[in-house]
Amino acid sequence: MASPAVSPDSSSHEALSSVNSAPACSPTSDSENLSPDELELLAKLEEQNRLLEADSKSMRSMNGSRRNSGSSLVSSSSASSNLSHLEEDTWILWGRIVNEWDEWRKKKEKLLKELIRKGIPHHFRAIVWQLLCSATDMPVKNQYSELLKMSSPCEKLIRRDIARTYPEHEFFKGQDSLGQEVLFNVMKAYSLVDREVGYCQGSAFIVGLLLMQMPEEEAFCVFVRLMQEYRLRELFKPSMAELGLCIYQFEYLLQEQLPELNIHFRSQSFLTSMYASSWFLTLFLTTFPLPVATRVFDIFMYEGLEIVFRVGMALLQFNQAELIQLDMEGMSQYFQKVIPHQFDSCPDKLILKAFQVKYNPKKMKRLEKEYAAIKNKEMEEQIEIKRLRTENRLLKQRIETLEKESAALADRLIQGQVTRAQEAEENYIIKRELAVVKQRCTSATENLQRAQTTIRQLQDQQGNPRFSEEFVTHLETELEQSRLRESETLGALKEMQDKVLDMEKRNSLLPDEDNVVRLQEELQALALREAEAVKSLTELQQQVKDLSESWQAGRAGGRWKDSPRRSNVNALQEAVVAARLREAQAQAELRALRQRVLQLETQGQIQRTVLGRAEQTCAGLREQLRVAAAQSKGLQAQLSESHRKHAEAQCKSKEEVMAVRLREADSMAALAEMRQRVAELEIQREEGRIQGQLNHSDAAQYIRQLKDHIDELKAEGAEGPTFCAQGC
């Protein structure tokens, strides 16, 4: 068993003096299961406790005035004698409990619970705590020395925070002190065993209390068991999800049992986490002085986190009337300066009030399920928000792409509109010229028909030798007109050829299109029309050839050789036939030009079709752009609202953290001052007891024993409160 290392304020005299003043859970049922010797021992404990309470008043009066009468010294000596008998009986009882632990744990569990609630004697705490959490034979104990040789990523954080853990206690005071070194070893070893949790500053206070009672290897084993079996691991995880659950359950108890105080807290925006987080993370080790906090820790080792809920509710019930009268700042100061020292002299009163609090484990389980459902819903909302943000980012990227494509398409449309306007103008000019050519072609056709009629008449009149001068004059006039029309037709034909060449060049500069099927169909139709035109041209050329042959045959007959008039007529006829031939050739070329114009019109139609499709595509893209813009606007509004709520939450969280740090600093200063005063009062009380109990001959020996005990205190140490829990 580890050597004791607790300050005088937590000595066995005080711890045992409260055994029978604490509440008994079930005295009737437990007394029936006790042996006569145990009943007699409990009766003695109750009697000695009453004597000790009566003596405590006289001791306080003696410390206040050293000039009291000799009767006070006699009373003090008598009480000290009774206290020694009480200590001896308590040692016997707890010695039996430790030696017969399995039997007590199985058959006398209720009595063991009652004794633990009344306080475990200081010298038995180390072994009893190990027995309560089943940490006596753990495999991890053999790994401790190997873990100390390894390197931990949390070493810098641990070194930085070691000095903040119990800075006023002798065991941990001073850089590179024994207490700081063993505390560093235990925290480093655990950060290597449980890499998910690693190191959390709030856990250092629990380890420090364990190191006051036992060596570092045993403290390490107990701490590992506490983290695994007492829900502390979930409390100290980086997410601190278990702390949120505890706060949620505590708020339910507060709302159910103290509704007025809960309404007052809400009206002042005094959140539960502002005062209760340290209760759960350090088990009141940074709230109460060590004697009171150790009593709470005794019960925690047996009953778990339930005692934290009970003590917290007891504190609020005890101070409800005062808290309702204060504002937020006043309540913060009250929690830091008044509440921690209300039960310094009577921790049993706090324990009694704690076990009067209504606590239903079934309700706690139901609240745990509700909290899990709430957290799952919040997680789903976070996932949905993340998904919406991703979609919003993708939509923004798509909008930017669409804007770029729309700009490029707009440029293409503008260029297409300009090109289409130019083509429309050129098509209009071509149509107008084509109309003129058609008109000329019609007149040429009519002239050709008239010429053919004249040729037939001439052929009919070849047997008639009489040709009047009027007829010859008419032929000459018609020949001149035919030549004029031929020259005009040739001029128009040359202009049309130039324009056709120009149109071919422009069409070659137009961009190619992808609609191959449509172009193939139009090309087939064009080929059919071209075949028909070629066929018509071939027939016309055949007619011209037949006409030329008949004319040559008529000329070869030589019927007009005898007469000069006949020679002139023949020459005129030849000229007319030559003009008709040239006109037929001009008509053939005109048909070729018509075919070419038809091809150009087909190409123009294709271009118009492509432009129409491009306009439809552009209209569809504009509609998509409008819909995307509307969706983006809605998502932007949702994102703005989310940003606003997040900013408000961050601002509120920063204010709360700042307030907690300010209160923490005030609490550190106030607790250090009060701890110094308590230590001085304890020393004075011990000095008064020594003077009243021992004679002069035994004083020197007792002083030597006291010095040895003080040396052991310096070697083992005790702690003072400082708290800066991770994530608080």
Side-chain angles (χ1 to χ4, degrees), residues 482-693:
S482 298
R483 288 176 178 176
L484 289 175
R485 288 195 297 273
E486 180 183 0
S487 62
E488 291 177 357
T489 303
L490 290 174
L493 181 61
K494 187 176 181 180
E495 291 178 2
M496 289 297 296
Q497 288 177 348
D498 295 338
K499 289 181 180 180
V500 166
L501 291 174
D502 188 26
M503 289 295 295
E504 287 178 349
K505 291 180 181 180
R506 292 184 181 180
N507 287 334
S508 64
L509 298 176
L510 291 176
D512 296 334
E513 299 297 334
D514 299 330
N515 198 348
V516 179
V517 178
R518 186 71 174 268
L519 289 175
Q520 288 177 350
E521 293 177 355
E522 294 175 353
L523 186 59
Q524 291 175 359
L526 182 60
L528 291 175
R529 289 195 296 271
E530 185 178 2
E532 293 177 357
V534 170
K535 183 179 179 181
S536 176
L537 182 61
T538 304
E539 293 177 355
L540 183 59
Q541 289 176 351
Q542 185 64 34
Q543 291 178 4
V544 171
K545 185 177 179 181
D546 294 340
L547 182 60
S548 177
E549 290 177 354
S550 62
W551 176 69
Q552 290 293 340
R555 184 179 180 183
R559 294 182 180 178
W560 296 338
K561 288 183 180 180
D562 298 334
S563 176
R565 186 180 295 273
R566 286 184 178 179
S567 298
N568 292 334
V569 171
N570 290 334
L572 290 175
Q573 286 179 349
E574 289 175 1
V576 171
V577 171
R580 296 296 185 271
L581 289 175
R582 287 193 296 272
E583 188 174 1
Q585 292 176 356
Q587 188 174 5
E589 291 178 358
L590 184 60
R591 288 195 178 188
L593 286 175
R594 287 179 181 177
Q595 184 66 29
R596 188 60 184 168
V597 169
L598 185 60
Q599 292 178 359
L600 293 175
E601 287 180 351
T602 304
Q603 291 179 359
Q605 182 65 30
I606 292 172
Q607 295 296 329
R608 285 194 294 274
T609 303
V610 171
L611 287 175
R613 290 175 183 172
E615 288 180 353
Q616 292 178 357
T617 305
C618 182
L621 290 175
R622 286 176 180 172
E623 182 64 22
Q624 292 180 4
L625 181 62
R626 185 185 62 78
V627 174
Q631 292 179 354
S632 175
K633 187 176 181 181
L635 291 173
Q636 190 69 28
Q638 294 180 4
L639 185 60
S640 300
E641 183 66 19
S642 300
H643 284 327
R644 184 184 65 78
K645 292 182 179 179
H646 181 66
E648 292 179 356
Q650 275 190 338
C651 182
K652 191 172 182 181
S653 175
K654 289 180 181 178
E655 292 177 356
E656 292 174 359
V657 169
M658 185 60 67
V660 169
R661 289 180 178 174
L662 292 174
R663 289 195 296 274
E664 179 186 351
D666 295 340
S667 177
M668 288 168 55
L671 288 175
E673 181 181 354
M674 294 303 296
R675 189 174 296 105
Q676 184 66 27
R677 291 179 57 191
V678 169
E680 293 175 358
L681 292 175
E682 291 296 335
I683 292 172
Q684 292 177 6
R685 185 171 66 181
E686 290 297 327
E687 290 176 355
R689 287 182 181 178
I690 292 173
Q691 293 176 2
Q693 182 179 6

Side-chain angles (χ1 to χ4, degrees), residues 235-454:
L235 279 172
F236 290 116
K237 277 186 177 180
S239 62
M240 304 187 82
E242 192 71 14
L243 178 61
L245 171 61
C246 293
I247 296 296
Y248 182 77
Q249 292 172 331
F250 191 82
E251 286 179 347
Y252 176 82
L253 293 177
L254 178 63
Q255 183 178 1
E256 183 182 40
Q257 300 183 23
L258 300 173
E260 295 181 359
L261 184 60
N262 180 57
I263 293 174
H264 179 66
F265 281 169
R266 290 180 178 275
S267 64
Q268 295 293 326
S269 298
F270 194 61
L271 304 178
T272 307
S273 58
M274 296 171 67
Y275 60 87
S277 295
S278 62
W279 294 353
F280 290 99
L281 290 172
T282 63
L283 307 176
F284 293 101
L285 293 175
T286 59
T287 302
F288 295 131
L290 279 177
V292 182
T294 309
R295 288 286 304 276
V296 176
F297 198 84
D298 289 339
I299 303 172
F300 168 77
M301 293 293 295
Y302 189 77
E303 302 184 24
L305 281 177
E306 176 182 340
I307 187 60
V308 181
F309 288 97
R310 289 184 176 276
V311 172
M313 288 301 301
L315 290 177
L316 296 180
Q317 289 177 356
F318 190 78
N319 297 278
Q320 179 180 6
E322 290 79 5
L323 290 172
I324 289 180
Q325 305 298 326
L326 301 175
D327 58 2
M328 181 178 177
E329 187 64 28
M331 287 188 291
S332 300
Q333 296 295 328
Y334 195 85
F335 272 97
Q336 295 173 10
K337 297 181 179 180
V338 178
I339 289 180
H341 304 287
Q342 287 180 332
F343 303 97
D344 290 356
S345 60
C346 52
D348 292 327
K349 185 177 180 181
L350 175 63
I351 303 300
L352 175 62
K353 196 162 187 67
F355 283 99
Q356 292 175 353
V357 173
K358 295 179 182 180
Y359 183 88
N360 190 342
K362 292 183 179 180
K363 283 187 178 180
M364 291 296 167
K365 287 290 184 183
R366 178 174 59 82
L367 291 174
E368 184 176 354
K369 293 180 180 179
E370 291 180 0
Y371 183 77
I374 292 173
K375 284 299 176 182
N376 290 334
K377 186 176 180 181
E378 290 179 356
M379 185 65 67
E380 292 175 358
E381 291 177 353
Q382 291 293 331
I383 293 173
E384 182 66 18
I385 290 174
K386 187 179 294 185
R387 185 185 65 81
L388 289 174
R389 287 177 179 173
T390 304
E391 289 183 357
N392 189 27
R393 186 179 68 254
L394 294 176
L395 284 174
K396 283 184 177 179
Q397 295 176 356
R398 187 176 179 186
I399 287 171
E400 291 176 357
T401 305
L402 289 175
E403 287 178 351
K404 293 179 180 178
E405 293 179 355
S406 177
L409 185 59
D411 294 338
R412 288 178 60 190
L413 285 175
I414 293 172
Q415 185 177 1
Q417 289 176 355
V418 172
T419 305
R420 188 173 59 182
Q422 292 176 354
E423 289 179 353
E425 183 178 359
E426 292 174 356
N427 288 334
Y428 175 74
I429 295 172
I430 290 172
K431 286 180 180 180
R432 187 175 61 182
E433 293 176 353
L434 183 61
V436 174
V437 171
K438 285 180 178 180
Q439 185 176 1
R440 291 179 179 177
C441 182
T442 303
S443 60
T445 303
E446 294 176 354
N447 292 331
L448 181 60
Q449 291 176 356
R450 286 197 298 269
Q452 290 175 353
T453 304
T454 305

